[in-house]
Amino acid sequence: MLQPRIPANPLPTGHVTPLVQPTADTEAEVDKHDHTPAPAPVAPARTAIQLTPGSAIALAAGGGAVVLVVGAVLVSMLLAVAITGVSIAVVAVVLRLLVRDMQKGR
């Protein structure tokens, strides 16, 4: 009936092993196959995760703690960048003053 047309075993040498063709292709032989559908998988009776009110509160508290920790880390990184920027600006002003004093010949 429906036969694939793709070679089964292409070899690196270029020789192709053909598919095995059935010897008898009659309707009687096709009707011998069992055409009943496979049984559908049974859905589990309960969900995998059961949330009780206590576990929901614990989950919310844990999520809040994670948000606070991540926020603290991000704020501290922003503060470190700001302090570094101010320090570089102060150093640039001091160097500019030193260079200006050297050019005046003091």
Side-chain angles (χ1 to χ4, degrees):
M1 195 167 149
L2 297 175
Q3 299 286 332
R5 302 284 183 212
I6 302 170
N9 187 16
L11 299 174
T13 58
H15 299 291
V16 177
T17 305
L19 292 172
V20 176
Q21 298 294 328
T23 56
D25 192 16
T26 62
E27 287 186 18
E29 192 162 321
V30 171
D31 288 337
K32 287 183 185 178
H33 299 292
D34 186 19
H35 293 290
T36 58
V42 178
R46 295 173 46 168
T47 59
I49 299 175
Q50 293 286 323
L51 282 180
T52 62
S55 63
I57 291 172
L59 185 63
V66 167
V67 167
L68 288 177
V69 168
V70 169
V73 168
L74 291 177
V75 167
S76 63
M77 289 172 60
L78 180 64
L79 185 62
V81 169
I83 291 172
T84 303
V86 170
S87 301
I88 290 174
V90 169
V91 168
V93 168
V94 169
L95 285 175
R96 182 177 167 199
L97 290 174
L98 287 174
V99 168
R100 185 178 291 168
D101 286 343
M102 286 174 50
Q103 287 176 351
K104 287 183 180 179
R106 290 186 181 178

